[in-house]
Amino acid sequence: MGYLLRTGQAALWLAGTLATHNAFASTPENLYEHPVWLTLGHYHENRFDSGYTSQADDPAFFLSEDGKTNPKTELMATLAAIQQPGEGDDHARCRFPARDAWLREQLDLPEEPVSCPAYEGWFDTLNTEKVTLVFAASYLNSPSSMFGHTFLRLDPPQDDNETDLLLANTISYAADAAEHDSELLFAYRGIFGGYPGITSIKPYYEMIRLYNDIEHRDLWEYTLNLSQHEVDTMLAHTWEIQDKNFDYYFFDENCAYRLLALIDVARPGTDLLEEVSTHAIPSDTVRWVRDKDLVESIHYRPSAATAVSHSLESLPDEHQTIAAAIANGYVKVGDPEVQQLPAGDKARLLDATYDYVRYQSEADNWPREFAAPLSHQLLVSRSRIDNAKPIPPVKEPTVRDDQGHDTFRLSLSSGQLAHNEFTELTIRPAYHDIVDPPEGYRTGAQLQFLRLDARLYHDNDELQVEQITGVEIRSLSPRNQFFSPTSWQVGFGGRRTDTGTQRVLAPYLEGGAGGSWSLGDNSQVFAMATADLEIDDDIRRGYDFAPGADFGVLHQSPSVSLLAGIKTKAWIVSSQHRQDQLYLKANYHIGREFSLFTEFTREDHFDRYQSTWQAGIHAYF
């Protein structure tokens, strides 16, 4: 009996060895350079030599010792491993089902069945027929969400209209950060690759609660036109990278970048990753997916904050005042101001007020002992009104986030500082200036990084760096009787500053906080307390600090954007003087590809009045 067993094992080993040898013999010499194999291994050409390096940073992702930098040995190791006898969750065919399927197809290997309990159970649980790319709009109050976020929803078969997509699963890639890390630490480590990035599977309702309900971010759902085979390939590769470490970089190898890689795997030849240069902005990646004709349908899911604001804004102004008074306890539900309203108007008032109280109890932690009885009174009063028309649903925005202007901006202008004429070139990799075309972006929001402003002065042909903007964020969210957001701004970089005797390039850090109030649909005024810090050896004490204020007005429309105001600050460390500035910026938008702009400042600095103006053109790419 033992002899028969040993003979059988030897025969199996010999058969496997011969099959592997035959597979190696028939393998095309350059198969390891096939685009699909490189995509499956996340290999990219090295910048300074002819080799490749995988972006995967987890040893468990590779079967050969030098697999990270050698796609050829990784292919050979994979080919050998998938042809070894045996099965089970630890077998290479079960660990790398997408690699296995592609190699068998390329080399015409036999499609032998294999038992992979963990993978098969996971695959069946996901039960995916369609894949939807979900874009969560930008959220400036968190550094990790300033550009928006994307993830994939795995849609089950739509057997009928009752299929609940809230129960569908999602694929998400994010930095594996510690819960106690501050927002500033997260931003720093995220920029410089200090976190591992993990691909995870979560229910869609959890993502909605996080992005749609808590962070007040509208969701756009782009259902992709992938075939069932392409969907299955995407899931197979997701299994391969799930829980594998890919170092996370905030600007390029981020959530959006990894999802592009999954789509490239599902549909070879899309080459979405080829669109990425210095950064991968989620709204840009959605635009690339759309331009590759990968989108089948689009659905808008407004956030809880958007829905509540819509309910309140649907009321006449006098009814909004009553709703605010009820919510704040100044008016009771049974008071004449409410009960004497016509039935239809009262129903809308009660509905909108209930939506607002419920939202505030969840988002702003209103005390339950106040919110619960008030909500009950509103519902009881509303239940006594029959046949009232409901509040109309939130309208889909005319312009989606992926339809806004491109984020890379190149600007050319001419101007004059005092009596010195100059030509200025500005390069901004991303993202949005407060006076750029506003459609598709948050009202009153500005986010720029790595912006370079260089000037050529004509009188002496001197080329100077005028300013280097590391990061510049501004959030002007108007306040009203229902919501009181704080407007704020922060920025750092290097800029030309006047020391009294010369203009030097000095590192700076600035910030501010205050409020903004709406003047109508497209305009608002704002007031901020500010603080500036400059550091340079040419400053008398090496640094200077200035508290100050910024008062202004902002108008944003599809055709024209205007920003005007007055800044004042008092330098109190090195120079003890005031600096006052009157400023005006105006952009005339030519579609979403170009803007004509002009800027003017009049400044009192070191008791000298000085004017600067310039005019030119912005081009968006």
Side-chain angles (χ1 to χ4, degrees), residues 186-195 247-251:
F186 180 90
Y188 172 79
R189 296 186 66 181
I191 290 173
F192 296 104
Y195 289 116
D247 287 347
Y248 180 93
Y249 291 89
F250 185 63
F251 290 127

Side-chain angles (χ1 to χ4, degrees), residues 302-492:
S303 69
T306 298
V308 169
S309 296
H310 168 74
S311 295
L312 295 169
E313 290 168 1
S314 69
L315 302 176
D317 289 345
E318 59 272 22
H319 293 180
Q320 290 186 31
T321 301
I322 296 174
I326 294 173
N328 289 285
Y330 301 120
V331 171
K332 305 298 182 183
V333 175
D335 285 355
E337 294 96 320
V338 180
Q339 297 304 320
Q340 292 176 2
L341 292 173
D345 290 346
K346 183 165 68 172
R348 283 196 174 194
L349 172 66
L350 295 171
D351 283 339
T353 307
Y354 173 76
D355 290 343
Y356 174 67
V357 173
R358 182 183 175 189
Y359 170 79
Q360 290 289 52
S361 64
E362 293 184 3
D364 215 18
N365 296 317
W366 274 17
R368 179 175 176 79
E369 57 270 21
F370 170 76
L374 178 56
S375 297
H376 178 72
Q377 295 167 22
L378 291 165
L379 288 175
V380 169
S381 183
R382 177 63 177 85
S383 67
R384 296 174 180 149
I385 305 173
D386 297 325
N387 302 320
K389 292 183 179 180
I391 295 173
V394 178
K395 290 184 178 180
E396 181 177 309
T398 306
V399 179
R400 303 188 306 268
D401 294 65
D402 64 284
Q403 295 175 316
H405 68 78
D406 289 338
T407 56
F408 185 95
R409 191 183 77 184
L410 185 66
S411 309
L412 183 65
S413 63
S414 293
Q416 188 177 86
L417 169 61
H419 299 292
N420 298 326
E421 295 183 353
F422 62 82
T423 297
E424 182 170 290
L425 176 68
T426 299
I427 300 173
R428 187 200 67 194
Y431 162 71
H432 177 68
D433 190 315
I434 208 165
V435 289
D436 282 338
E439 294 179 302
Y441 292 83
R442 308 282 79 74
T443 300
Q446 173 173 300
L447 172 57
Q448 302 186 95
F449 73 89
L450 302 182
R451 171 175 161 171
L452 172 66
D453 300 78
R455 287 181 181 178
L456 176 64
Y457 285 92
H458 298 171
D459 59 340
N460 57 5
D461 291 330
E462 182 180 1
L463 181 64
Q464 287 188 353
V465 173
E466 181 65 19
Q467 182 163 337
I468 302 173
T469 303
V471 172
E472 184 178 70
I473 309 170
R474 176 178 284 190
S475 178
L476 300 179
S477 299
R479 305 163 70 94
N480 56 36
Q481 54 195 327
F482 299 102
F483 302 101
S484 302
T486 299
S487 294
W488 60 278
Q489 62 188 35
V490 65
F492 68 86

Side-chain angles (χ1 to χ4, degrees), residues 81-95 112-118 120:
I82 65 175
Q83 295 184 95
Q84 292 299 314
E87 54 186 20
D89 295 333
D90 291 332
H91 195 278
R93 295 188 65 186
C94 299
R95 292 172 56 197
E112 298 174 352
V114 62
S115 175
C116 302
E120 290 162 4

Side-chain angles (χ1 to χ4, degrees), residues 88-89 93-94 97 114-128 154 169 201 235-236 239 242:
D89 295 333
R93 295 188 65 186
C94 299
V114 62
S115 175
C116 302
Y119 171 62
E120 290 162 4
W122 177 85
F123 189 91
D124 292 341
T125 299
L126 295 183
N127 187 28
T128 306
L154 308 177
N169 287 289
I201 307 293
L235 294 182
W239 174 261
Q242 186 182 210

Side-chain angles (χ1 to χ4, degrees), residues 244-283:
K244 302 295 191 302
N245 171 25
F246 288 70
D247 287 347
Y248 180 93
Y249 291 89
F250 185 63
F251 290 127
D252 48 11
E253 295 180 40
N254 53 24
C255 63
Y257 185 91
R258 288 287 154 240
L259 299 187
L260 295 184
L262 283 176
I263 298 173
D264 278 347
V265 167
R267 181 171 291 179
T270 52
D271 296 328
L272 289 168
L273 289 184
E274 295 299 319
E275 302 287 345
V276 181
S277 54
T278 58
H279 57 279
I281 304 297
S283 58

Side-chain angles (χ1 to χ4, degrees), residues 28 44 50 64 67 93 101 139 154 172 265 297 388 420 487 558 594 600 621:
H44 292 262
S50 59
S64 66
R93 295 188 65 186
Y139 180 59
L154 308 177
S172 181
V265 167
S297 61
N420 298 326
S487 294
F594 300 96
F600 173 79
F621 301 93

